[in-house]
Amino acid sequence: MYSNIEIEITTKSNLLIGGNPVSFEIGGIDQCTIVDCEGYPIIPASSFKGCLRFILKNEFDDDKLFEKLENYYSTLLQKELENLMTLMEERILGESDELIKNEIMKEKESYKSRYKQAIDNFSIEYLFGIEGFNNTPKLMFSDFSVKDKQIGANKEDLFSKDAKNTIKQMNNDISANPRIYKTVRPEVTFCGEIYFYKIKDDDFLPELKENLKKVIELLNNGIYRLGNSKSRGYGRVQAKVLLH
């Protein structure tokens, strides 16, 4: 089993993530938040992942842990590169056609360049995956579903409808275009998890979890938010993190 972090997110303002209404009617809802197959609101894994990635990029300040992670990923990539080079050398030695040998050698140099670039340009964002490397250690995210105690309640009680005006100016005329948003109301709690895929190094895993807890809880200051329409005051949440 992979190690994990459990997270509860409680809305403190209206929350709008994604989606269009199931059916559009004139004078009806213009945009509504995304829901699951049963009609309950959810926070998609991709939305939380994007938010956490942004916060981590801006706020991560543990130099010692950064160095440990850099060494960890560099060692893994270097070992993978060495194994790959050995396999390609075997292919070259076992090939009699010179043209094919040349193609394998070009491919070998391309791999060396790509791995070298990844090793030399380590970023804390490697925790979310490395472009072009599909099987590296990374954080994996679940969708956030409504907490059990709110399941069974009238689904519509979990939503609020909010009217906003869009101001348009054409020539000398100014007009207001009202739009209706169906959002998750305040005080709705969602539960989700982060899994540590292939990250099993006891040397830094507890430290990494503590740092992620600290970063996730920065959502509680109201500066970092989830979803759309943040300029309208949407997306303020309270996060509670349970470490294992």
Side-chain angles (χ1 to χ4, degrees), residues 10-181:
T10 301
T11 56
K12 293 299 175 181
S13 70
N14 288 340
L15 173 68
L16 177 67
I17 296 179
N20 290 313
V22 176
S23 61
F24 181 82
E25 298 177 4
I26 295 182
I29 295 169
D30 295 286
Q31 191 172 20
C32 65
T33 199
I34 193 167
V35 297
D36 64 16
C37 60
E38 296 182 62
Y40 288 100
I42 62 169
I43 299 174
S46 57
S47 294
F48 183 78
K49 177 181 177 180
C51 178
L52 179 59
R53 186 173 189 155
F54 180 75
I55 302 174
L56 194 63
K57 184 178 178 180
N58 288 329
E59 300 284 353
F60 187 87
D61 59 3
D62 190 324
D63 293 337
K64 288 183 179 179
L65 179 56
F66 185 93
E67 185 176 349
K68 288 180 181 179
L69 289 168
E70 184 176 22
N71 290 335
Y72 176 68
Y73 277 93
S74 296
T75 300
L76 285 174
L77 290 169
Q78 185 62 45
K79 186 179 293 186
E80 191 173 309
L81 175 60
E82 289 169 1
N83 292 337
L84 188 58
M85 292 300 101
T86 299
L87 290 173
M88 299 198 81
E89 285 290 345
E90 291 174 356
R91 285 177 60 194
I92 291 171
L93 290 173
E95 182 57 60
S96 57
D97 189 309
E98 289 300 320
L99 288 175
I100 296 178
K101 277 187 178 183
N102 288 335
E103 288 301 315
I104 297 173
M105 290 175 67
K106 288 179 183 177
E107 187 180 356
K108 178 183 171 184
E109 291 305 310
S110 175
Y111 275 117
K112 283 173 65 176
S113 175
R114 187 160 66 88
Y115 272 84
K116 184 178 186 305
Q117 185 176 12
I119 292 168
D120 291 345
N121 295 284
F122 173 78
S123 163
I124 196 66
E125 293 181 74
Y126 279 16
L127 286 171
F128 299 89
I130 310 171
E131 185 176 0
F133 297 83
N134 296 326
N135 208 31
T136 57
K138 70 190 76 172
L139 305 178
M140 300 186 73
F141 298 77
S142 73
D143 289 335
F144 284 71
S145 302
V146 173
K147 193 173 181 180
D148 289 345
K149 68 178 182 179
Q150 289 173 308
I151 297 286
N154 184 345
K155 296 184 184 76
E156 290 305 310
D157 290 341
L158 303 177
F159 297 95
S160 64
K161 292 180 183 178
D162 195 10
K164 301 291 184 183
N165 278 329
T166 302
I167 306 299
K168 293 184 178 180
Q169 182 172 358
M170 293 185 65
N171 300 322
N172 293 323
D173 295 327
I174 297 176
S175 63
N177 179 31
R179 296 177 64 84
I180 306 297
Y181 296 90

